[in-house]
Amino acid sequence: AQKVTQAQTEISVVEKEDVTLDCVYETRDTTYYLFWYKQPPSGELVFLIRRNSFDEQNEISGRYSWNFQKSTSSFNFTITASQVVDSAVYFCALIMVPLGGATNKLIFGTGTLLAVQP
Amino acid sequence: SAVISQKPSRDICQRGTSLTIQCQVDSQVTMMFWYRQQPGQSLTLIATANQGSEATYESGFVIDKFPISRPNLTFSTLTVSNMSPEDSSIYLCSIPPGTGHTEAFFGQGTRLTVV
């Protein structure tokens, strides 16, 4: 069975601190995608990144960076120099490949609530 | 990419009534998913809506409570029937990753409060 674990329920930091959100996943499949989504207080889900299981290259986008380690089944997300606007719930998610199958659905972690204090 | 328009964005409803949520997609898609997010919780899949067939419900969700329509490849509705305060949640429709796109797209969400 597939599972995504986000052990950190809530994290509180002060603006300009760096923060890392952890994501650990379980799957027996060798081909899958991993995602991070941001959910601000307004409720919509904002796509942040997708990572293919065959691509372990880390990625940086502005203040955001992602560390994908297949050996430890982790896909951690770091925000550098956090800002108040980063305050949101962040979800890690997993989906099997091939896409578009009848049971093809995103498996979400329980989310991490990040509060960035001014 | 795809754009999903979901409405209403929020509503406050009396217990015992029903609310229908609509999602319109700007392209044709085979599958649409409906999720529920209870306060402080993660997203839970309610059902998969396929055009031309009955929706497939996840364990714990039944058609009588959450009837779904999928009249064509760009539109779907979810009805929350005979509501109780426990139905207060955010409801989201979604297009899963598939041919031509490898991210899931979500509607803006419907924030439902049952009083």
Side-chain angles (χ1 to χ4, degrees), chain B residues 65-107:
Chain B
K65 177 66 176 177
F66 297 101
I68 288 171
S69 78
R70 187 81 203 275
N72 56 54
L73 291 173
T74 64
F75 188 77
S76 179
T77 68
L78 169 76
T79 298
V80 186
S81 303
N82 189 24
M83 288 184 285
S84 67
E86 292 70 36
D87 294 319
S88 297
S89 298
I90 297 174
Y91 294 85
L92 295 113
C93 59
S94 171
I95 303 170
T99 304
H101 61 278
T102 51
E103 72 173 88
F105 297 97
F106 290 87

Short mmCIF file of all heavy atoms in Angstrom, two decimals, chain B residues 65-107:
data_model
loop_
_atom_site.label_atom_id
_atom_site.label_comp_id
_atom_site.label_asym_id
_atom_site.label_seq_id
_atom_site.Cartn_x
_atom_site.Cartn_y
_atom_site.Cartn_z
N LYS B 65 -25.74 9.98 0.04
CA LYS B 65 -25.28 11.15 0.78
C LYS B 65 -24.56 12.14 -0.13
O LYS B 65 -24.69 13.34 0.02
CB LYS B 65 -24.34 10.69 1.90
CG LYS B 65 -23.72 11.82 2.71
CD LYS B 65 -24.75 12.59 3.52
CE LYS B 65 -24.06 13.64 4.39
NZ LYS B 65 -25.06 14.44 5.13
N PHE B 66 -23.81 11.61 -1.09
CA PHE B 66 -23.00 12.46 -1.97
C PHE B 66 -23.26 12.11 -3.44
O PHE B 66 -22.36 11.63 -4.15
CB PHE B 66 -21.52 12.28 -1.66
CG PHE B 66 -21.11 12.69 -0.29
CD1 PHE B 66 -20.91 11.75 0.72
CD2 PHE B 66 -20.92 14.04 0.02
CE1 PHE B 66 -20.52 12.14 2.00
CE2 PHE B 66 -20.53 14.43 1.29
CZ PHE B 66 -20.34 13.49 2.28
N PRO B 67 -24.46 12.34 -3.95
CA PRO B 67 -24.71 12.04 -5.36
C PRO B 67 -23.86 12.94 -6.26
O PRO B 67 -23.68 14.12 -5.98
CB PRO B 67 -26.21 12.32 -5.52
CG PRO B 67 -26.58 13.17 -4.35
CD PRO B 67 -25.65 12.83 -3.24
N ILE B 68 -23.35 12.34 -7.31
CA ILE B 68 -22.47 13.02 -8.25
C ILE B 68 -23.05 12.90 -9.65
O ILE B 68 -23.53 11.85 -10.04
CB ILE B 68 -21.06 12.39 -8.21
CG1 ILE B 68 -20.34 12.77 -6.92
CG2 ILE B 68 -20.21 12.82 -9.41
CD1 ILE B 68 -19.03 12.02 -6.69
N SER B 69 -22.98 13.98 -10.39
CA SER B 69 -23.35 13.94 -11.80
C SER B 69 -22.15 14.27 -12.65
O SER B 69 -21.25 15.01 -12.24
CB SER B 69 -24.50 14.91 -12.11
OG SER B 69 -24.00 16.23 -12.20
N ARG B 70 -22.12 13.68 -13.85
CA ARG B 70 -21.02 13.94 -14.80
C ARG B 70 -21.62 13.89 -16.19
O ARG B 70 -21.43 12.95 -16.94
CB ARG B 70 -19.93 12.87 -14.63
CG ARG B 70 -18.71 13.16 -15.44
CD ARG B 70 -17.79 14.15 -14.77
NE ARG B 70 -16.94 14.79 -15.75
CZ ARG B 70 -15.79 14.27 -16.20
NH1 ARG B 70 -15.36 13.11 -15.76
NH2 ARG B 70 -15.08 14.93 -17.09
N PRO B 71 -22.37 14.93 -16.54
CA PRO B 71 -23.12 14.90 -17.80
C PRO B 71 -22.26 14.98 -19.05
O PRO B 71 -22.68 14.54 -20.12
CB PRO B 71 -24.03 16.12 -17.70
CG PRO B 71 -23.30 17.05 -16.77
CD PRO B 71 -22.61 16.16 -15.78
N ASN B 72 -21.06 15.54 -18.93
CA ASN B 72 -20.16 15.62 -20.09
C ASN B 72 -18.72 15.67 -19.60
O ASN B 72 -18.46 15.58 -18.38
CB ASN B 72 -20.51 16.84 -20.95
CG ASN B 72 -20.48 18.13 -20.16
OD1 ASN B 72 -19.48 18.45 -19.51
ND2 ASN B 72 -21.58 18.87 -20.19
N LEU B 73 -17.78 15.83 -20.52
CA LEU B 73 -16.37 15.72 -20.18
C LEU B 73 -15.79 17.00 -19.58
O LEU B 73 -14.59 17.05 -19.28
CB LEU B 73 -15.56 15.32 -21.42
CG LEU B 73 -15.80 13.89 -21.92
CD1 LEU B 73 -15.08 13.66 -23.24
CD2 LEU B 73 -15.33 12.88 -20.89
N THR B 74 -16.60 18.03 -19.41
CA THR B 74 -16.08 19.28 -18.85
C THR B 74 -16.79 19.72 -17.57
O THR B 74 -16.47 20.76 -17.01
CB THR B 74 -16.19 20.43 -19.88
OG1 THR B 74 -17.59 20.66 -20.15
CG2 THR B 74 -15.47 20.09 -21.18
N PHE B 75 -17.73 18.95 -17.09
CA PHE B 75 -18.58 19.42 -16.00
C PHE B 75 -18.92 18.29 -15.05
O PHE B 75 -19.11 17.14 -15.45
CB PHE B 75 -19.86 20.02 -16.59
CG PHE B 75 -20.73 20.72 -15.57
CD1 PHE B 75 -20.41 21.98 -15.11
CD2 PHE B 75 -21.88 20.09 -15.10
CE1 PHE B 75 -21.22 22.62 -14.19
CE2 PHE B 75 -22.70 20.73 -14.17
CZ PHE B 75 -22.37 22.00 -13.72
N SER B 76 -19.00 18.64 -13.75
CA SER B 76 -19.43 17.67 -12.74
C SER B 76 -20.04 18.41 -11.57
O SER B 76 -19.70 19.58 -11.31
CB SER B 76 -18.24 16.83 -12.26
OG SER B 76 -18.65 15.89 -11.27
N THR B 77 -20.96 17.77 -10.90
CA THR B 77 -21.52 18.32 -9.67
C THR B 77 -21.44 17.28 -8.56
O THR B 77 -21.52 16.07 -8.80
CB THR B 77 -22.99 18.75 -9.84
OG1 THR B 77 -23.81 17.60 -10.02
CG2 THR B 77 -23.16 19.71 -10.99
N LEU B 78 -21.29 17.80 -7.36
CA LEU B 78 -21.35 16.99 -6.14
C LEU B 78 -22.44 17.60 -5.26
O LEU B 78 -22.43 18.81 -5.02
CB LEU B 78 -20.02 17.02 -5.39
CG LEU B 78 -20.03 16.44 -3.98
CD1 LEU B 78 -20.05 14.92 -4.03
CD2 LEU B 78 -18.82 16.91 -3.18
N THR B 79 -23.36 16.79 -4.80
CA THR B 79 -24.38 17.25 -3.87
C THR B 79 -24.11 16.68 -2.50
O THR B 79 -23.84 15.49 -2.36
CB THR B 79 -25.79 16.84 -4.36
OG1 THR B 79 -26.03 17.45 -5.64
CG2 THR B 79 -26.86 17.29 -3.37
N VAL B 80 -24.16 17.54 -1.51
CA VAL B 80 -24.07 17.09 -0.12
C VAL B 80 -25.51 17.10 0.41
O VAL B 80 -26.12 18.17 0.51
CB VAL B 80 -23.17 18.00 0.73
CG1 VAL B 80 -22.99 17.42 2.12
CG2 VAL B 80 -21.81 18.18 0.05
N SER B 81 -26.03 15.92 0.69
CA SER B 81 -27.46 15.78 0.99
C SER B 81 -27.72 15.70 2.49
O SER B 81 -26.87 15.21 3.26
CB SER B 81 -28.00 14.51 0.33
OG SER B 81 -27.80 14.52 -1.06
N ASN B 82 -28.91 16.16 2.87
CA ASN B 82 -29.36 16.04 4.26
C ASN B 82 -28.22 16.40 5.22
O ASN B 82 -27.80 15.59 6.05
CB ASN B 82 -29.85 14.62 4.52
CG ASN B 82 -30.52 14.47 5.88
OD1 ASN B 82 -31.02 15.45 6.45
ND2 ASN B 82 -30.51 13.26 6.41
N MET B 83 -27.76 17.61 5.09
CA MET B 83 -26.54 18.01 5.78
C MET B 83 -26.67 18.08 7.29
O MET B 83 -27.74 18.40 7.84
CB MET B 83 -26.08 19.37 5.24
CG MET B 83 -25.52 19.28 3.82
SD MET B 83 -24.89 20.85 3.24
CE MET B 83 -26.42 21.71 2.89
N SER B 84 -25.58 17.79 7.96
CA SER B 84 -25.45 17.94 9.39
C SER B 84 -24.17 18.74 9.66
O SER B 84 -23.34 18.91 8.75
CB SER B 84 -25.38 16.58 10.08
OG SER B 84 -24.18 15.93 9.70
N PRO B 85 -23.99 19.26 10.87
CA PRO B 85 -22.78 20.03 11.15
C PRO B 85 -21.48 19.27 10.84
O PRO B 85 -20.46 19.89 10.52
CB PRO B 85 -22.90 20.34 12.64
CG PRO B 85 -24.38 20.41 12.87
CD PRO B 85 -24.95 19.34 11.98
N GLU B 86 -21.54 17.94 10.91
CA GLU B 86 -20.34 17.15 10.62
C GLU B 86 -19.92 17.24 9.15
O GLU B 86 -18.81 16.86 8.79
CB GLU B 86 -20.57 15.68 10.96
CG GLU B 86 -20.71 15.38 12.46
CD GLU B 86 -22.00 15.91 13.04
OE1 GLU B 86 -23.05 15.88 12.34
OE2 GLU B 86 -21.99 16.35 14.20
N ASP B 87 -20.79 17.74 8.31
CA ASP B 87 -20.46 17.91 6.89
C ASP B 87 -19.73 19.22 6.62
O ASP B 87 -19.31 19.48 5.49
CB ASP B 87 -21.74 17.86 6.04
CG ASP B 87 -22.41 16.51 6.07
OD1 ASP B 87 -21.69 15.49 6.02
OD2 ASP B 87 -23.66 16.45 6.16
N SER B 88 -19.56 20.02 7.64
CA SER B 88 -18.83 21.28 7.48
C SER B 88 -17.39 20.96 7.11
O SER B 88 -16.65 20.36 7.88
CB SER B 88 -18.88 22.09 8.79
OG SER B 88 -20.21 22.44 9.11
N SER B 89 -17.01 21.37 5.92
CA SER B 89 -15.70 21.02 5.36
C SER B 89 -15.42 21.91 4.17
O SER B 89 -16.28 22.67 3.72
CB SER B 89 -15.67 19.56 4.87
OG SER B 89 -15.91 18.64 5.89
N ILE B 90 -14.22 21.75 3.63
CA ILE B 90 -13.93 22.29 2.30
C ILE B 90 -14.07 21.13 1.32
O ILE B 90 -13.54 20.03 1.56
CB ILE B 90 -12.50 22.87 2.22
CG1 ILE B 90 -12.36 24.06 3.17
CG2 ILE B 90 -12.18 23.30 0.79
CD1 ILE B 90 -10.94 24.61 3.25
N TYR B 91 -14.79 21.36 0.26
CA TYR B 91 -14.94 20.35 -0.79
C TYR B 91 -14.21 20.84 -2.04
O TYR B 91 -14.35 22.01 -2.45
CB TYR B 91 -16.42 20.10 -1.10
CG TYR B 91 -17.15 19.47 0.07
CD1 TYR B 91 -17.68 20.24 1.09
CD2 TYR B 91 -17.26 18.08 0.16
CE1 TYR B 91 -18.32 19.65 2.18
CE2 TYR B 91 -17.90 17.48 1.24
CZ TYR B 91 -18.43 18.28 2.25
OH TYR B 91 -19.04 17.68 3.33
N LEU B 92 -13.42 19.95 -2.63
CA LEU B 92 -12.63 20.32 -3.80
C LEU B 92 -12.82 19.33 -4.92
O LEU B 92 -12.84 18.11 -4.68
CB LEU B 92 -11.14 20.37 -3.46
CG LEU B 92 -10.69 21.43 -2.46
CD1 LEU B 92 -10.21 20.77 -1.18
CD2 LEU B 92 -9.58 22.28 -3.03
N CYS B 93 -12.95 19.83 -6.12
CA CYS B 93 -12.91 18.96 -7.28
C CYS B 93 -11.50 19.02 -7.87
O CYS B 93 -10.76 20.00 -7.67
CB CYS B 93 -13.94 19.36 -8.32
SG CYS B 93 -13.77 21.04 -8.94
N SER B 94 -11.16 17.99 -8.60
CA SER B 94 -9.78 17.87 -9.07
C SER B 94 -9.71 17.07 -10.36
O SER B 94 -10.51 16.16 -10.60
CB SER B 94 -8.92 17.19 -8.00
OG SER B 94 -7.64 16.87 -8.48
N ILE B 95 -8.74 17.44 -11.17
CA ILE B 95 -8.38 16.62 -12.33
C ILE B 95 -7.07 15.95 -11.98
O ILE B 95 -6.11 16.63 -11.64
CB ILE B 95 -8.18 17.49 -13.57
CG1 ILE B 95 -9.41 18.30 -13.88
CG2 ILE B 95 -7.78 16.64 -14.77
CD1 ILE B 95 -9.17 19.33 -14.94
N PRO B 96 -7.01 14.62 -12.05
CA PRO B 96 -5.76 13.95 -11.70
C PRO B 96 -4.71 14.16 -12.77
O PRO B 96 -5.03 14.54 -13.90
CB PRO B 96 -6.18 12.49 -11.61
CG PRO B 96 -7.31 12.37 -12.57
CD PRO B 96 -8.04 13.68 -12.49
N PRO B 97 -3.45 13.89 -12.47
CA PRO B 97 -2.43 13.88 -13.51
C PRO B 97 -2.82 12.86 -14.58
O PRO B 97 -3.45 11.85 -14.30
CB PRO B 97 -1.17 13.45 -12.78
CG PRO B 97 -1.42 13.76 -11.35
CD PRO B 97 -2.90 13.58 -11.15
N GLY B 98 -2.50 13.15 -15.81
CA GLY B 98 -2.85 12.24 -16.89
C GLY B 98 -2.12 12.60 -18.16
O GLY B 98 -1.07 13.23 -18.10
N THR B 99 -2.69 12.21 -19.26
CA THR B 99 -2.07 12.46 -20.55
C THR B 99 -1.91 13.96 -20.79
O THR B 99 -2.86 14.71 -20.72
CB THR B 99 -2.93 11.86 -21.68
OG1 THR B 99 -3.11 10.47 -21.42
CG2 THR B 99 -2.25 12.04 -23.03
N GLY B 100 -0.69 14.38 -21.05
CA GLY B 100 -0.45 15.78 -21.36
C GLY B 100 -0.16 16.65 -20.16
O GLY B 100 0.28 17.79 -20.32
N HIS B 101 -0.40 16.17 -18.97
CA HIS B 101 -0.08 16.99 -17.80
C HIS B 101 0.23 16.08 -16.63
O HIS B 101 -0.45 15.08 -16.41
CB HIS B 101 -1.23 17.94 -17.46
CG HIS B 101 -2.51 17.26 -17.11
ND1 HIS B 101 -3.40 16.80 -18.04
CD2 HIS B 101 -3.06 16.95 -15.92
CE1 HIS B 101 -4.43 16.24 -17.45
NE2 HIS B 101 -4.26 16.32 -16.15
N THR B 102 1.26 16.41 -15.89
CA THR B 102 1.69 15.55 -14.78
C THR B 102 1.52 16.24 -13.44
O THR B 102 2.23 15.95 -12.50
CB THR B 102 3.14 15.11 -14.98
OG1 THR B 102 3.94 16.26 -15.23
CG2 THR B 102 3.25 14.12 -16.11
N GLU B 103 0.59 17.15 -13.34
CA GLU B 103 0.21 17.66 -12.03
C GLU B 103 -1.29 17.57 -11.93
O GLU B 103 -2.00 17.52 -12.94
CB GLU B 103 0.66 19.11 -11.85
CG GLU B 103 -0.15 20.11 -12.66
CD GLU B 103 0.20 21.54 -12.34
OE1 GLU B 103 1.13 22.06 -12.96
OE2 GLU B 103 -0.47 22.12 -11.47
N ALA B 104 -1.78 17.53 -10.73
CA ALA B 104 -3.22 17.54 -10.50
C ALA B 104 -3.68 18.99 -10.43
O ALA B 104 -2.98 19.84 -9.88
CB ALA B 104 -3.57 16.82 -9.20
N PHE B 105 -4.83 19.28 -11.00
CA PHE B 105 -5.40 20.61 -10.93
C PHE B 105 -6.62 20.57 -10.01
O PHE B 105 -7.37 19.59 -10.00
CB PHE B 105 -5.82 21.08 -12.32
CG PHE B 105 -4.66 21.23 -13.27
CD1 PHE B 105 -4.35 20.21 -14.16
CD2 PHE B 105 -3.88 22.37 -13.26
CE1 PHE B 105 -3.27 20.33 -15.03
CE2 PHE B 105 -2.81 22.50 -14.13
CZ PHE B 105 -2.50 21.47 -15.01
N PHE B 106 -6.78 21.63 -9.26
CA PHE B 106 -7.86 21.69 -8.28
C PHE B 106 -8.74 22.92 -8.51
O PHE B 106 -8.26 23.96 -8.95
CB PHE B 106 -7.30 21.77 -6.86
CG PHE B 106 -6.65 20.49 -6.40
CD1 PHE B 106 -5.33 20.23 -6.68
CD2 PHE B 106 -7.38 19.54 -5.69
CE1 PHE B 106 -4.72 19.06 -6.28
CE2 PHE B 106 -6.79 18.36 -5.28
CZ PHE B 106 -5.46 18.12 -5.57
N GLY B 107 -10.01 22.75 -8.20
CA GLY B 107 -10.88 23.91 -8.13
C GLY B 107 -10.51 24.74 -6.91
O GLY B 107 -9.68 24.35 -6.09
#
